[in-house]
Amino acid sequence: EQDLIIEDIRLAVKANDLAAGTDTTGLRLTDQEMIGVIRQANKSLEEKILPVGLLLGKKIDALIGQQTQTIQTRSTALVQDLTQQNLVIFSLTSLIFILGLGTTQRMVRRLVGAIGNLRDNLNTLARGQLPATLPGRTDEIGTANAAANQLADNLRRASQFAAQIGEGQFDSHFAAAGPHDVLGNALLTTRDQLLAAHQSDQQRRWL
């Protein structure tokens, strides 16, 4: 095996000389010298090259381990950040839903309460009584409340006027709600008829 190695070295030296244009054919190493060269090369390999390679390998392994640790740390932090963000988003969504549900419930309660008040007001009018004034609103229920309040006010004024003309106060002021106000116009007609009858009765008494 050593002879093969020696021969390979010689061939390599020869090829190098030919490539460089030099002839070192006359300079031949003996087998012992060649073995010494090989041993020296092996010693240099073991003492210098292999330790450097091992040290380089250790540094590369350490660098790989450090980079792997860094990647794992960053991955863990990223997962934690994403988890925290998802938790915040879920919490905000839940809070918005709860607030919206609470707001909706309050609006429904107010709406149901307003409709109940309007119903009670109309039932009171239907019984011939004068209800309390309903609060003002800016929605459709507010429009219905305003109409119910106007109806109650018209009935209140009409009842007062009827009581006054019943007492003979024919000069009491009263105005119908409009040309289609059946009750108001009927009271005015009744007032005029009672006034005419009262005047006629006064005339007969003077006679």
Side-chain angles (χ1 to χ4, degrees):
E1 183 178 359
Q2 290 181 353
D3 293 339
L4 292 175
I5 294 174
I6 293 171
E7 187 62 26
D8 290 339
I9 294 174
R10 285 175 178 174
L11 291 175
V13 173
K14 183 64 176 177
N16 184 55
D17 291 341
L18 292 175
T22 59
D23 185 9
T24 58
T25 305
L27 300 177
R28 294 181 178 273
L29 297 175
T30 65
D31 292 343
Q32 292 295 327
E33 291 174 342
M34 188 63 68
I35 291 172
V37 171
I38 292 172
R39 288 178 176 175
Q40 184 65 30
N42 289 333
K43 184 177 180 181
S44 298
L45 179 64
E46 293 177 354
E47 293 180 352
K48 297 180 180 180
I49 298 177
L50 289 179
V52 173
L54 292 175
L55 181 60
L56 182 61
K58 291 180 180 179
K59 290 184 177 181
I60 292 174
D61 291 339
L63 182 60
I64 292 174
Q66 184 179 2
Q67 292 297 324
T68 302
Q69 183 66 28
T70 302
I71 292 173
Q72 290 178 351
T73 302
R74 291 181 179 178
S75 299
T76 303
L78 180 60
V79 171
Q80 291 177 351
D81 290 341
L82 291 176
T83 303
Q84 187 175 3
Q85 289 178 1
N86 291 334
L87 181 60
V88 171
I89 293 173
F90 176 76
S91 300
L92 290 176
T93 303
S94 300
L95 180 60
I96 292 173
F97 175 76
I98 293 173
L99 291 176
L101 183 62
T103 302
T104 302
Q105 289 179 345
R106 287 194 296 270
M107 291 178 62
V108 170
R109 289 196 189 100
R110 292 177 181 176
L111 183 62
V112 171
I115 294 175
N117 292 334
L118 178 60
R119 178 199 59 203
D120 295 339
N121 188 283
L122 294 176
N123 288 335
T124 301
L125 287 173
R127 292 193 298 267
Q129 299 174 351
L130 295 176
T133 302
L134 293 172
R137 294 172 61 98
T138 58
D139 52 7
E140 288 76 6
I141 295 179
T143 302
N145 286 351
N149 290 335
Q150 184 64 44
L151 176 59
D153 184 65
N154 291 341
L155 290 176
R156 185 178 295 105
R157 292 189 304 106
S159 63
Q160 291 175 354
F161 180 66
Q164 289 172 351
I165 61 177
E167 295 174 355
Q169 301 178 14
F170 301 116
D171 57 347
S172 298
H173 175 72
F174 179 78
H180 303 290
D181 183 4
V182 177
L183 178 60
N185 289 319
L187 287 174
L188 290 174
T189 301
T190 302
R191 189 270 311 268
D192 294 339
Q193 291 175 351
L194 290 175
L195 178 61
H198 177 71
Q199 291 176 348
S200 177
D201 185 64
Q202 292 290 336
Q203 291 177 358
R204 284 196 302 271
R205 288 183 179 181
W206 281 103
L207 296 175

